[in-house]
Amino acid sequence: SLSSNIYAQNTKSEIDKFKPYVLKKKSFDKDRKVIWIFFDAFDPYYAFRKDIVELKNFNDYKKKSINFTNAISPSSGSLVSMLANLIGTDAESVTVKKKSISIVTPDKKYINFNKNNTIFGRLESDGLSSEIYSSALDYCSLLKIQNCRAKKYEEENFSNRWYSGIALTYPIVSQFNLLTSLLSKSDNSKEISDKRNFSFSELDLKKFNNQLASLSDIDGIGYVNFDIFKNFLKSENSMLFVHLYLPHTPADYIKQKLSLKTNNINEDYFLNLIYTDYVLSRIIIEIEKNREKNLLVVLNSDHWYDSGSEFDKIQRPVLQIFNFIDDESEMNIQEKVFTHQTQEIIHKYLIKEINNKLDILNYYSED
C-alpha cells in the first residue's frame, strides 16, 4: 500500500526528459488492437497457489496464453508501479514539484509523468489512438489526456476505507498533505463485524446469474462497465487501457449485490478474487461476440496483495498474461521478467514489430 515515504519533495531545478524512443512521425495501419487490463492487487500466489479459491476462468485463459509466473512489478504501491509501467522503466519512488509528478529511477533519474513519456503519447505519435478507463488513479488529469474516464479527486469522500491501500487521485500537489495523512490511517487489519454466510470452497457465482447479469458497472466505482469492450472493438482506436479496482479490498460492492458477509478484510480479498474471475468471463464473452482477428489481450496486476499487518511484506510475482486471440497454444514461462517492459511489447505489436508469441519470448531473451 502507499505510504508517505514514497514521496519526496525534490529541489532539482529541472526534471529530466525521458525519451525511450525517437518518436516516429509516421502513421501505422489500424488493423491491430490491444486490450490492456490491470487488476489492482491481483496476487497470483493467493489466486492460483493457496487453494483458497478456484479461478476457473483465469486458469482456462492461462491455458491458451503466455503466462509469466515470475513477473515483477516496479513497486508494492499502485502509484509508483503504474507510473513506471506506463513510462516503461523501473522506479523506486515518486516526487512532486510545481504541479507535476515524476518517478525516480534506481539510478536517480527523474522522469516526468506526462503523456509524451508514456505509451499513450508514443502511440499517438504513430497515428494510433487509445482510450483509457480507470477506477483507481486519475490518468485523465495526470496526463491531461482526452478519450479518458477516471474517478476524479473532487468526487472522493476521503473515507479511510476507500483509501485502504491505493488512494491517489489528482490533483496531487494541492492535496499532498491530506492524502498522506489519510494514507497513514490504515484500517485494513480490523475485523469486520459480520459473520461469513458462505463457504469459499462451495461458492459458485453461477447461482447468482440473475443478480450478476444485470450488472453494468464492473467494480462499483462507476467508471468502467462491460460495454467499453464491445464499443472499443467496434471503434477505430488501437488500444484500450483499463485499470480496475479489483480484486483490491474492500468487497462491499459484491457483498451488497449478492447479500454475502465476510469476517475480515482478507476474506474480502478472496471474495473479490472470485468475483474478478467472473468479471474476466464477462470480458471474454464481449471479446468473442465482437471477435477481432488481430487482437492482443494483456492482463496485468500493479502489485501483489498486501493488506497490512495480516501478510508479510515479501515481494511476490504479479499477474502477466498475453493472449493472441487467434493462437490458443499454452506457454508457461518461469524466467524473471518485469512488468514495466509490457508497454514496449504492446507498442511493438501495434506497429507490427511483434507478431506472435514467439516474438514476445524473443523480445525478453534479447533484452
Side-chain angles (χ1 to χ4, degrees):
S1 60
L2 294 176
S3 60
S4 58
N5 64 356
I6 68 172
Y7 301 92
Q9 293 296 334
N10 182 255
T11 57
K12 188 177 174 67
S13 59
E14 296 291 336
I15 295 177
D16 297 337
K17 295 289 185 181
F18 178 67
K19 294 184 179 180
Y21 316 103
V22 175
L23 296 181
K24 303 172 183 178
K25 298 297 181 181
K26 63 178 181 179
S27 295
F28 292 87
D29 294 335
K30 298 180 180 180
D31 60 344
R32 291 189 173 191
K33 288 180 178 289
V34 171
I35 295 175
W36 190 12
I37 305 173
F38 273 87
F39 295 99
D40 205 290
F42 189 105
D43 192 329
Y45 179 71
Y46 293 103
F48 305 130
R49 294 177 56 189
K50 289 294 286 183
D51 295 326
I52 298 171
V53 294
E54 181 180 1
L55 306 187
K56 181 181 185 302
N57 297 298
F58 273 95
N59 283 317
D60 288 347
Y61 209 62
K62 289 193 297 179
K63 292 177 182 177
K64 54 184 181 181
S65 307
I66 309 180
N67 175 42
F68 288 89
T69 61
N70 197 16
I72 306 302
S73 63
S75 171
S76 62
S78 291
L79 183 68
V80 177
S81 184
M82 290 310 304
L83 267 59
N85 282 323
L86 291 175
I87 288 175
T89 187
D90 203 0
E92 64 178 25
S93 63
V94 301
T95 183
V96 177
K97 179 179 170 62
K98 293 181 180 179
K99 297 184 180 181
S100 67
I101 183 169
S102 300
I103 60 173
V104 184
T105 67
D107 57 356
K108 305 306 179 185
K109 289 183 180 178
Y110 293 80
I111 305 169
N112 187 255
F113 187 64
N114 60 43
K115 183 176 70 172
N116 289 339
N117 284 347
T118 68
I119 186 173
F120 306 120
R122 295 194 287 275
L123 291 178
E124 185 177 290
S125 73
D126 292 329
L128 303 174
S129 54
S130 307
E131 54 186 273
I132 299 109
Y133 295 84
S134 172
S135 298
L137 300 178
D138 182 3
Y139 302 100
C140 315
S141 300
L142 286 167
L143 295 172
K144 298 178 175 60
I145 201 166
Q146 302 298 315
N147 210 14
C148 179
R149 291 191 68 211
K151 191 169 181 65
K152 299 292 187 290
Y153 164 83
E154 290 82 1
E155 297 169 12
E156 302 303 346
N157 60 17
F158 292 112
S159 69
N160 287 345
R161 177 63 59 81
W162 199 92
Y163 276 90
S164 59
I166 179 167
L168 244 189
T169 49
Y170 197 84
I172 288 175
V173 180
S174 62
Q175 299 298 334
F176 177 77
N177 291 331
L178 174 59
L179 290 170
T180 53
S181 173
L182 286 164
L183 289 171
S184 69
K185 299 176 181 177
S186 172
D187 68 343
N188 288 337
S189 61
K190 75 177 184 179
E191 294 293 302
I192 298 172
S193 59
D194 296 329
K195 184 176 181 180
R196 178 156 50 90
N197 60 353
F198 65 94
S199 165
F200 281 109
S201 62
E202 298 176 2
L203 182 62
D204 183 358
L205 292 193
K206 291 180 181 178
K207 298 177 181 178
F208 298 92
N209 272 343
N210 291 338
Q211 297 96 312
L212 293 171
S214 62
L215 291 183
S216 176
D217 182 5
I218 293 179
D219 52 19
I221 306 298
Y223 281 82
V224 189
N225 59 55
F226 289 108
D227 288 342
I228 65 171
F229 299 95
K230 171 184 65 179
N231 296 337
F232 165 72
L233 292 170
K234 293 180 178 179
S235 75
E236 294 297 315
N237 296 324
S238 296
M239 185 177 74
L240 171 63
F241 173 85
V242 180
H243 188 164
L244 288 167
Y245 198 62
L246 282 172
H248 198 290
T249 55
D252 296 349
Y253 180 60
I254 197 60
K255 287 196 295 184
Q256 180 182 10
K257 294 293 183 182
L258 304 184
S259 299
L260 299 175
K261 298 179 180 180
T262 57
N263 292 326
N264 54 54
I265 200 71
N266 293 333
E267 290 186 355
D268 266 30
Y269 181 71
F270 300 132
L271 177 58
N272 267 351
L273 278 174
I274 294 172
Y275 175 57
T276 303
D277 192 57
Y278 166 80
V279 167
L280 179 64
S281 73
R282 287 276 299 268
I283 292 171
I284 293 171
I285 289 171
E286 290 298 331
I287 290 172
E288 291 178 347
K289 286 196 303 187
N290 301 276
R291 189 176 179 89
E292 287 278 336
K293 182 178 180 181
N294 298 311
L295 174 66
L296 173 63
V297 179
V298 184
L299 307 182
N300 273 124
S301 49
D302 51 350
H303 53 79
W304 58 94
Y305 176 53
D306 175 15
S307 69
S309 60
E310 296 90 342
F311 292 132
D312 57 51
K313 303 289 183 180
I314 297 173
Q315 184 186 56
R316 290 187 294 275
V318 298
L319 183 70
Q320 173 126 312
I321 295 174
F322 293 92
N323 178 265
F324 289 84
I325 197 165
D326 55 352
D327 181 353
E328 295 192 352
S329 61
E330 179 180 9
M331 294 183 180
N332 288 297
I333 309 301
Q334 298 179 357
E335 284 75 17
K336 180 185 289 187
V337 298
F338 299 94
T339 61
H340 69 259
Q341 299 170 294
T342 305
Q343 55 78 43
E344 174 79 343
I345 291 174
I346 290 171
H347 189 197
K348 287 182 177 294
Y349 173 75
L350 288 173
I351 63 175
K352 301 184 179 181
E353 293 181 9
I354 281 179
N355 300 293
N356 51 51
K357 293 178 179 176
L358 289 178
D359 286 346
I360 291 179
L361 300 184
N362 288 335
Y363 165 80
Y364 283 114
S365 64
E366 294 169 0
D367 188 69

